[in-house]
Amino acid sequence: MLRKFHTYPALISAVLIVFMAITGLVLSFEPLVAHFSTPASASATAPANVASLAAGVADNIANVQRIVRKPSGEIIAYSFGADGPVASYVDPATGANLGTYSPSAFFQFFTELHRSLFLGDNGRILTGLAALAMAILSVGGIFLTARRMGGFRHFFAKAKGTLSQRLHVETGRLSVIILSVLAVSGLYMSLTFFGLVGDSAAGGGFFFPQSSGDTPIAISELSALQDVNLKDLRELDYPAAGDATDVFTLTTASGTGYIDQTNGEMISFTPNSWSENLYQTFYILHTGQSSWIYALLLGAGALSAIGLVIAGLVIWWKRGAMPVRIKGNDAARSADHVILVGSEGRSTWGFAKTLHAALKAEGHKVHVGPMNALAKRYDKAEKLFILTSTYGDGDAPNSAKNFLSRLGKGAPVNHDRKPLDYLVLGFGDRSFSHYCAYAQKVDQTLEEAGLKRARPLFTIDKQSIQQFAEWGRGLTEVIGEAVTLHHVAEQNKTQAFVLETRRDFGQEFQRPKSILRFRPVEENKTTFQRLLARFLPEAWQAGDLFGITPPNGAFARYYSLASSASDGFVEICVSKQPGGQCSTYLTELKPGDRIEAFFRENTGFRAPKDDKPLILVGAGSGIAPLLGFIRANANHREVHLFWGGADPKYDFLYRDELMHFRQDGRLTGAQIAFSRGQTREYVQDKLRADSIFVANLLQEGARVMVCGGEDMASGVRQAFSEILSPLGKSINQLRNDARYAEDVF
Amino acid sequence: MKKLALALLVSTALIVPGSAMAANVNVSVNLKNYGAGGTYLAVYVVDSAGNYKQTLWVAGSRSRYWGHLSGWARGISGTNDRVDGLTGPSLGGGRTLNVSANIADSMLDAGYYVVVDSAIENWGQYPFDAAAPLSNGGTGSGKGFVNSVTVQY
């Protein structure tokens, strides 16, 4: 509901808001330009009362009609010269003419464009609607951000998600105050223009006060003008030349009045109503006329509005469409089989697509949708299939975030009000703890909600197509017919890389390891694409993953990157697994050989951009991302490495680099353990030996990053628990503060 | 059909006697060429003593700003005159406004004047900016935003 309240107005007004933002951005430079094109003495604030200024101007400028004090302090006099109206800067102290004031035609054009698009009242309605939309979006955005972050207390917590989501949240949080100010003030000015708020009579009342005598007195003697402080002056209109009955019309910060030019008395003074005061405040807030610095801040707000609209549209576009196209997807209400997908990326959707096609081939009507779209009623449905992965430590993946709360509002039934039969298929990776934990939770909760479990939870490890096919064969007993599931994993968009160098370690050893350095093949790329790939924030960095599908292999294997895009090469560390298809393929490559591979973000395992110390812990080829962090440590933050190998003679990976980085300051200290060396110790032993030092680092806010096998990771967790408990802390607390990250394989 | 014919008959009957005693007068108001746009103008007739007699045209659609055409506004505020059908959009600098109006024959060549008041947001207002005698070929030059005004019939 809240999201719709944000999305729909945005979709309707996107073009308009971008238009307003661009024109507003241009206008935000007007006060700056005006500031630097004002004659020097015109901005000096000399103490003068309005009577002496008005007299001085009348002496210096013939036929003066009106003087206006701009919010920035300059005094402009409008008069009629021989060739028509003239506007001049005047010295606030003396009223002397300082030269012609010519409002920039460029900015006048943009002002009119910004407030009416040159479409008259219709244009003003449009711009008013743009302000309204902006106000709605600001309010909705604040609440959505709070919801996304887990409450207003965490409003400024680190944004997560895709690049566009992060951009949208970060930009929104930074600019929401400016944008709200612009929206509310713009809206109020618009409503005032159309007379919907404020006093509609103001400025339009036909009230014509008259001076009482026959002979005007000297302007400098007008007592009502003498009483007005210069900084309170807004406008002063002189009486028509030669008309002794006419009056001075004075507008000050507090109201409007008329001054009898024959006795200097105020004839009538109407104080500003609250709505006029509000209007003036909003006018200054919206236009930034009082300060060019503030105006530039408004310009930054306009710029961020453009960014917000673009990032927001990207998010909407990606969310609106399912990540895969399902051919012949039936409507939820007419389907007899419903498949709901919980997925963070695309892979689980691919399996759903295969299942959908197979069931359709049997003549069923099948609906596929995200788990977030769970309905309370599926009229024709018999079976509900849930295909879901697990996010993190048992959390819901992106497309299932709202599933359990929706389920809590009512279990799905068919038109007979009979709860559906359901099957849950979990996707995960056994090498992680919490394997398929979310699928288990869903399986359990559906039963508790009163649905009938048609088959026990089935899990699929590392996207195994064999296991998927096996599950399909088992469906016979559930739906009465065999379902043949030939799943062909969707290929990631790969690019070509050529192996540049390889360094081998312990080839005579049971687990030979190789450091492979690839260079992207850039022959098909333009210079622009190459530059873009290097400088985009999206560019891959150390700790991200390098996905390689071996020839004839079914699915991609991921290797942590030991280099960043700015290094210009791709480095990974491969440990040859007995019988491992991909590691065998990689370790047999020769320099000059080509591979096809792709990058995948690993946002949970990146070196944070602060200056807190890093404690890097790893074993074996798990050193790869850690070395990448050290290599990228140009700012020489404090980095301590704890690493464990097998035997210093065979597998001391990156020894030379570590010594080099230790010397040039990128690495502060290193503790290396060898399980088959002279001392026979593990990396966790090194941590325990240094426990006081490590505890001190943690007290300073150090962040721990662990990479390696699960055995090592659990040993390291144990060691950190021991170090943390005297501090009254736990690993979970560190995790919650994003200070304990693991990349376990 | 009958109704339409009747309506035509009645309306023509109303117009024809009027036109017998009034002339169609063309007033042309040329503005000076300044940068600003949005000039509000009031074109009206005064007698030889400067008293308001009749409105010919008001340029500028927002009535709340009409008070700035103060000579005209002061004049019309003492009458029951309506300006329905006598208004149009405001003008940019350098443009010319052509007004065609019915004026009673008795006022032609009888010492009356066509007067123009002008006003522009921020730039100020100019009551009695320009005036031309209400006679065929009468002209006058402006002191404010108006360059010249000419009368023809």
Side-chain angles (χ1 to χ4, degrees), chain A residues 348 351 387-390 425-429 435-436 439 459-460 463 468:
Chain A
T348 310
F351 285 94
L387 274 59
T388 184
S389 61
T390 295
L425 185 59
F427 291 82
D429 185 334
Y435 172 62
C436 290
T459 60
I460 287 177
Q463 307 179 7
F468 187 56

Side-chain angles (χ1 to χ4, degrees), chain A residues 7 73 107-108 122 134 149 269 282 289 344 364 450 459 466 494 560 621 647 702 719 722:
Chain A
T7 307
F107 285 120
Q108 281 187 337
N122 291 335
M134 196 70 233
M149 294 297 152
F269 185 81
F282 278 144
Q289 291 293 322
E344 194 67 20
H364 293 290
T459 60
Q466 290 86 358
T494 61
S560 293
S621 56
D647 189 318
E722 290 163 21

Side-chain angles (χ1 to χ4, degrees), chain A residues 112 118 124 175 184 192 201 397 435 440 461 588 620 638 712 715:
Chain A
E112 202 49 43
F118 291 102
R124 290 200 184 237
S175 60
V184 172
T192 306
Y435 172 62
Q440 286 171 21
D461 186 27
E588 283 171 1
E638 199 176 341
M712 180 233 38

Side-chain angles (χ1 to χ4, degrees), chain A residues 526-541:
Chain A
T526 63
T527 314
F528 175 73
Q529 282 173 318
R530 254 174 266 166
L531 282 173
L532 203 66
R534 198 159 289 189
F535 292 107
L536 268 185
E538 183 78 325
W540 50 278
Q541 47 181 276

Side-chain angles (χ1 to χ4, degrees), chain A residues 65-66 68 78 80-87 103 115 121 192-195 200 203-204 206 208 210 240 243 245-246, chain B residues 32 34-36 62-68 70 72-74 76-77 120-127 129 143-145:
Chain A
Q65 260 282 308
R66 158 187 176 84
V68 174
Y78 293 87
F80 290 99
D83 303 320
V86 183
R115 66 182 184 188
D121 284 4
T192 306
F193 180 82
F194 286 106
S200 51
F206 284 2
F208 302 102
Q210 297 210 337
D243 182 357
T245 63
D246 204 356
Chain B
K32 287 174 183 157
Y34 42 84
R62 303 226 136 244
S63 59
R64 66 154 95 179
Y65 299 134
W66 288 352
H68 294 293
S70 53
W72 166 77
R74 205 180 290 210
I76 197 174
S77 62
I120 305 182
E121 182 188 6
N122 288 334
W123 288 81
Q125 58 198 54
Y126 216 112
D129 189 334
K143 291 166 285 190
F145 304 103

